[in-house]
Amino acid sequence: MTATPFPVSEIVAARRPHRKDAARNYDALLAAAREAFAEHGSDASLEDIARRAGVGIGTLYRNFPTRRDLFESVYADEVNALCQAAVEVADREPWEALTAWLDRFAGYMVTKRAVREALNDESEIFQSCRESMYSAGGPLLERAQQAGVARADMDFGDLLRMVAGITATAFDDDAQRDRVLAIALDGVRTHR
């Protein structure tokens, strides 16, 4: 897999400020928002996000004039990182590449749940993110199927729904989630 630009990569690049200090604040706000949304859902306090980022509330509003702008930027940034992770693991053995990416996808689902309620499935940003995710992860499944290490009777949408369903469940801890995901993925893997 080459470093193909994904639609979401263009969105992320267009939103990110070019000045180094502004870009640093922007990145800090995204990281703080991601953390706050994971902890408190979409109702996380904007003041808390600014405080976590070490900036004033005015800096938050300069970068993200509305709460929706912040949700979209966090979501796009997460999907962009997920797409880059697909590129990074692509040279591994097919099954290892697929499961490494799915592990990253499972972590991404935490942020997605928090911001999805604020985004319409028909929004341009949501559609670009979905297209990017399928373009990034789909070839990993296809490669595993071609290598004979993943079931051929499923498609990428099936796989994502399975993992999304697992991550939507409440677990005692991350270790239990990882164990359940491994059990489910064992059903995807072909055993020769």
Side-chain angles (χ1 to χ4, degrees), residues 60-67 69-70:
L60 184 144
Y61 282 115
R62 256 190 315 283
N63 283 282
F64 310 103
T66 67
R67 183 178 279 270
D69 290 328
L70 181 58

Side-chain angles (χ1 to χ4, degrees), residues 117-183:
E117 62 197 52
L119 298 177
N120 180 334
D121 284 0
E122 302 303 317
S123 74
E124 182 180 335
I125 188 97
F126 190 84
Q127 294 301 322
S128 292
C129 287
R130 185 178 191 279
E131 178 185 331
S132 296
M133 195 178 328
Y134 274 67
S135 295
L140 296 174
L141 175 61
E142 290 170 15
R143 188 168 153 246
Q145 288 170 324
Q146 289 168 356
V149 295
R151 295 171 61 136
D153 64 343
M154 64 185 307
D155 65 24
F156 190 63
D158 297 335
L159 184 59
L160 290 187
R161 282 178 181 79
M162 180 187 76
V163 175
I166 290 168
T167 60
T169 304
F171 292 100
D172 294 338
D173 53 33
D174 289 345
Q176 184 185 38
R177 182 200 68 209
D178 293 345
R179 214 171 29 257
V180 171
L181 181 58
I183 293 166

